[in-house]
């Protein structure tokens, strides 16, 4: 989406020592290398890979010509990047980015954040002009508790923490718990025939989750085509009477994270149960099935992230299934 000819002012080249422009397909390797280089020092639980960046450039809702930013040194090596995403009818924008560890503490992170804030204001204005419901511009950024340097930057620029999340692990050394489904409910391995049914189930399941917005076909496709996605480790629960997906568990495995962290984890990217099916043990059955799939694939632990204030009681569910919190992350927000 272009912004009616308006673009935020790029960071100053003289002040930052970098040349700034939007990312293109020709930057993919350079861009991915920057993120991996940063991750090798900062050790985040997750970071964007080449395939994720391909999706960024394919987005029909967040035009990469205006919604991405790369900072290149004199030799053309990417040293910083930023981007924002927003649904046209959404009430928030989300930002991502990083600065090469060798180029930090030079004001570059502040310059990228200032660009993201300016772009967020323009995007909200453009969406309102296009007929979507006007909303005050709001920018959110997710970080991990371990990254103290980001705390300092966001606090200095007026951001506050609005939500905490727990990364939780469950060892797979023991047997998976038994979890039976009601008559008429059937557990099946995730496959293409269930893609759209699972999207509809997701949008229903997450209607009451903080910060969640409905996923359209494009964003759902990006979810399913995430580079680390493992449909063979994923499953759905079908209602035999209606044919609809009552619940689903979408899993991933990241070999790079395994090498960095020293253990293999089967990660539950998304777990959801339609509102009308809650209280019937579907989530427990999906998790027990995931434990068996992960263990059979040679994983050491099952892992996931959960909103610490989740209204559906998910934290209690996961603790009851043997998960324990190991790390925390947070969402920062600033009204612009």
């Amino acid at each position: 989406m272009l912004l009616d000819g308006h673009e935020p002012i790029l960071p100053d080249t003289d002040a930052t020592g970098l040349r700034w422009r939007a990312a293109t397909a020709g930057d993919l390797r350079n861009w991915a290398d920057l993120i991996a280089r940063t991750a090798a020092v900062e050790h985040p639980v997750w970071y964007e890979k080449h395939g994720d960046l391909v999706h960024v450039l394919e987005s029909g809702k967040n035009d990469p010509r205006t919604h991405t930013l790369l900072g290149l040194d004199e030799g053309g090596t990417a040293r910083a990047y930023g981007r924002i995403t927003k649904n046209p009818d959404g009430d928030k924008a989300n930002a991502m980015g990083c600065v090469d560890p060798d180029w930090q503490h030079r004001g570059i992170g502040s310059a990228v954040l200032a660009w993201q804030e300016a772009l967020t204001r323009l995007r909200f204005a453009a969406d309102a002009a296009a007929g979507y419901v006007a909303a005050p511009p709001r920018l959110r950024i997710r970080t991990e508790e371990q990254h103290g340097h980001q705390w300092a930057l966001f606090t200095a620029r007026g951001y506050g923490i609005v939500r905490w999340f727990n990364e939780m692990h469950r060892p797979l050394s023991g047997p998976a718990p038994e979890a039976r489904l009601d008559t008429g409910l059937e557990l099946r391995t995730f496959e293409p025939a269930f893609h759209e049914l699972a999207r509809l189930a997701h949008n229903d399941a997450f209607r009451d989750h903080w910060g969640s917005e409905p996923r359209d076909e494009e964003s759902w496709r990006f979810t399913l085509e995430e580079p680390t996605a493992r449909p063979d480790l994923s499953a759905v629960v079908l209602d035999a009477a209606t044919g609809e997906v009552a619940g689903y568990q979408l899993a991933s495995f990241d070999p790079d994270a395994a090498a960095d962290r020293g253990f293999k984890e089967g990660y539950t990217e998304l777990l959801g149960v339609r509102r009308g099916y809650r209280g019937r043990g579907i989530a427990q059955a999906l998790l027990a099935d995931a434990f068996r799939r992960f263990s059979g694939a040679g994983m050491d632990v099952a892992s996931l992230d959960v909103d610490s204030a989740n209204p559906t009681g998910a934290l209690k569910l996961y603790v009851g299934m043997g998960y324990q919190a190991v790390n925390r992350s947070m969402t920062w927000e600033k009204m612009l």
Side-chain angles (χ1 to χ4, degrees):
M1 173 177 187
L2 288 171
L3 302 175
D4 300 323
H6 300 287
E7 295 183 29
I9 298 174
L10 296 177
D12 183 78
T13 295
D14 291 335
T16 61
L18 298 174
R19 176 172 52 89
W20 299 92
R21 61 170 174 77
T24 69
D27 297 310
L28 282 169
R29 176 175 292 183
N30 196 7
W31 188 4
D33 286 348
L34 162 66
I35 297 172
R37 201 163 55 245
T38 305
V41 173
E42 299 186 348
H43 303 287
V45 173
W46 174 88
Y47 60 91
E48 293 171 297
K49 309 292 197 306
H50 183 279
D52 298 304
L53 303 181
V54 170
H55 289 161
V56 171
L57 297 182
E58 291 177 345
S59 176
K61 294 179 292 185
N62 298 282
D63 193 320
R65 293 172 293 176
T66 51
H67 286 62
T68 65
L69 178 73
L70 281 183
L72 309 172
D73 66 15
E74 291 183 353
T77 299
R79 299 297 183 180
Y81 118 82
R83 67 182 179 95
I84 73 159
T85 62
K86 181 185 179 297
N87 285 325
D89 56 353
D91 66 350
K92 62 185 176 298
N94 293 287
M96 294 191 71
C98 71
V99 178
D100 188 308
D102 290 339
W103 285 69
Q104 293 178 9
H105 309 295
R106 305 186 190 189
I108 294 173
S110 295
V112 171
L113 187 54
W115 176 87
Q116 290 170 322
E117 291 176 0
L119 176 58
T120 297
R121 293 186 182 96
L122 288 175
R123 177 60 193 270
F124 270 81
D127 286 344
Y132 295 100
V133 176
R138 178 199 314 259
L139 185 60
R140 288 180 181 166
I141 305 172
R142 182 88 172 263
T143 68
E144 295 179 25
E145 187 175 26
Q146 61 172 313
H147 297 144
H149 63 294
Q150 295 173 336
W151 282 63
L153 171 60
F154 298 139
T155 300
R157 290 195 63 91
Y159 287 79
I161 298 172
V162 293
R163 210 73 164 190
W164 287 90
F165 296 83
N166 294 316
E167 180 194 0
M168 306 190 76
H169 286 184
R170 182 196 187 276
L172 295 171
S173 52
E178 292 294 328
R180 298 181 182 276
L181 288 169
D182 291 347
T183 301
L185 297 177
E186 179 185 0
L187 193 145
R188 300 275 297 275
T189 299
F190 191 69
E191 57 186 45
F194 302 134
H195 285 185
E196 178 61 11
L197 293 172
R199 183 182 74 86
L200 298 175
H202 171 82
N203 287 343
D204 179 59
F206 277 77
R207 276 189 293 153
D208 52 4
H209 283 57
W210 180 84
S212 179
E213 295 177 352
R215 300 201 187 192
D216 58 16
E217 289 84 355
E218 178 186 88
S219 60
W220 191 246
R221 177 174 67 84
F222 290 170
T223 298
L224 301 184
E225 292 179 357
E226 211 278 336
T228 59
R230 288 290 298 267
D232 59 314
L233 304 180
S234 307
V236 298
V237 169
L238 295 178
D239 184 333
T242 65
E244 70 180 358
V245 167
Y248 59 92
Q249 186 271 140
L250 301 186
S252 67
F253 170 65
D254 187 343
D256 294 330
D260 184 52
R261 306 184 82 181
F263 56 86
K264 296 180 180 180
E265 57 183 317
Y267 183 77
T268 293
E269 295 279 352
L270 289 171
L271 176 74
V273 177
R274 279 183 176 271
R275 294 158 66 95
Y277 291 90
R278 290 175 183 169
R280 299 176 62 179
I282 292 173
Q284 290 89 333
L286 285 164
L287 288 173
D289 175 73
F291 298 159
R292 289 187 286 269
R293 292 174 188 267
F294 295 163
S295 181
M299 307 299 171
D300 301 306
V301 300
S303 66
L304 48 76
D305 279 85
V306 61
D307 181 344
S308 62
N310 186 295
T312 65
L315 183 58
K316 182 179 179 180
L317 163 69
Y318 298 140
V319 170
M321 295 293 288
Y323 287 89
Q324 294 183 334
V326 296
N327 290 308
R328 294 201 304 174
S329 61
M330 68 285 284
T331 295
W332 299 79
E333 180 179 282
K334 181 179 179 180
M335 301 300 296
L336 302 173

